């Protein structure tokens, strides 16, 4: 269990670094990694939508003050 948590921590610290996973936990780690990647894409999509909405709100609020 500790090996799995260590691999997850290393993956989150640097997703682009080559990661050597112990063969005993490789399959379990792949399930976690797949979910982490999916959640990151979903989160970044939400972040970008929020940025666009914030820019729109700023433009609208400036027009109200003029």
């Amino acid at each position: 269990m500790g090996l799995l948590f260590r691999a997850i921590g290393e993956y989150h610290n640097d997703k682009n670094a080559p990661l050597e996973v112990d063969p005993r936990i490789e399959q379990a780690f792949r399930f976690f990694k797949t979910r982490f990647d999916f959640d990151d894409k979903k989160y970044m999509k939400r972040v970008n939508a929020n940025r666009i909405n914030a820019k729109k709100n700023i433009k609208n609020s400036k027009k109200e003050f003029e």
Side-chain angles (χ1 to χ4, degrees), residues 4-13 15 19 28-44:
L4 180 60
F5 283 118
R6 184 165 299 163
I8 289 170
E10 289 177 15
Y11 178 72
H12 278 291
N13 285 335
K15 293 182 177 164
L19 185 65
F29 178 72
R30 276 188 283 163
F31 288 121
F32 280 103
K33 183 180 179 296
T34 302
R35 188 62 199 191
F36 294 146
D37 292 340
F38 175 78
D39 289 341
D40 283 344
K41 286 179 186 176
K42 186 177 175 183
Y43 174 73
M44 289 309 296

Side-chain angles (χ1 to χ4, degrees), residues 47-57:
V47 167
N48 290 331
N50 287 341
R51 283 184 184 150
I52 291 168
N53 290 334
K55 287 179 183 178
K56 288 179 186 176
N57 290 335

Side-chain angles (χ1 to χ4, degrees), residues 1-2 6 59 64:
M1 185 121 162
R6 184 165 299 163
K59 287 180 184 177
E64 289 176 8

